[in-house]
Amino acid sequence: AYSGLSKPPGEPIIRIRRVRYVEDTPFALESSFLSFRTGKGLMEPRMADDASIYNYIENELHIRLSRADHVIQPGLANEEISGLLEIEVGNPILKLRGTTFSMTNKPIEYLEGVYRGDKYELKVVITK
């Protein structure tokens, strides 16, 4: 999982867990795992609760991101997820896990997400 993040051995990992909203409705629960060096600035009081992790990485740390490899699976909401996303236990959800890479192909972020099945859709573009 997140053990493959680009970091020195023994460096702590920061987990940022957020409930994401659209128009006052929770639609996602996301956990971002970052090396301490990469994520420590996001823990500072100056960062807004809705700060973009990717904007911070690119604009503040000057690390250009190139791609994200994600796996998405269907699932059903358990008690914790239903409470956080304001849905019924057993409602459909999409579970996502994946890694975001820099332009130099270093793993920068590991992401685990849970998305409401009634509020989230996935568009896939396949090119030749």
Side-chain angles (χ1 to χ4, degrees):
Y2 54 82
S3 60
L5 288 176
S6 182
K7 66 177 192 64
E11 180 182 8
I13 292 175
I14 291 175
R15 178 178 87 160
I16 299 171
R17 190 173 193 221
R18 307 185 291 178
V19 176
R20 308 293 301 267
Y21 288 81
V22 171
E23 297 176 358
D24 298 325
T25 301
F27 81 95
L29 173 63
E30 293 180 339
S31 291
S32 293
F33 298 86
L34 305 153
S35 71
F36 180 78
R37 185 177 12 150
T38 301
K40 66 182 177 181
L42 290 164
M43 309 306 288
E44 295 176 10
R46 68 179 177 83
M47 298 301 290
D49 286 342
D50 62 350
S52 167
I53 291 173
Y54 300 136
N55 284 347
Y56 169 78
I57 290 169
E58 291 199 318
N59 298 330
E60 300 284 330
L61 301 181
H62 308 290
I63 298 171
R64 291 195 53 219
L65 300 174
S66 67
R67 74 175 208 283
D69 294 346
H70 288 167
V71 174
I72 299 172
Q73 296 177 307
L76 301 173
N78 62 23
E79 238 177 88
E80 178 191 20
I81 291 168
S82 70
L84 291 169
L85 296 184
E86 300 175 10
I87 57 177
E88 297 292 322
V89 172
N91 274 20
I93 56 171
L94 293 173
K95 298 183 290 184
L96 177 145
R97 67 183 191 285
T99 304
T100 304
F101 294 87
S102 71
M103 292 296 283
T104 58
N105 211 35
K106 290 183 180 169
I108 302 298
E109 176 208 36
Y110 176 74
L111 176 70
E112 292 179 348
V114 176
Y115 302 86
R116 288 176 56 152
D118 63 337
K119 299 285 182 190
Y120 189 80
E121 66 180 21
L122 176 68
K123 178 181 179 181
V124 178
V125 176
I126 300 172
T127 58
K128 186 175 170 185

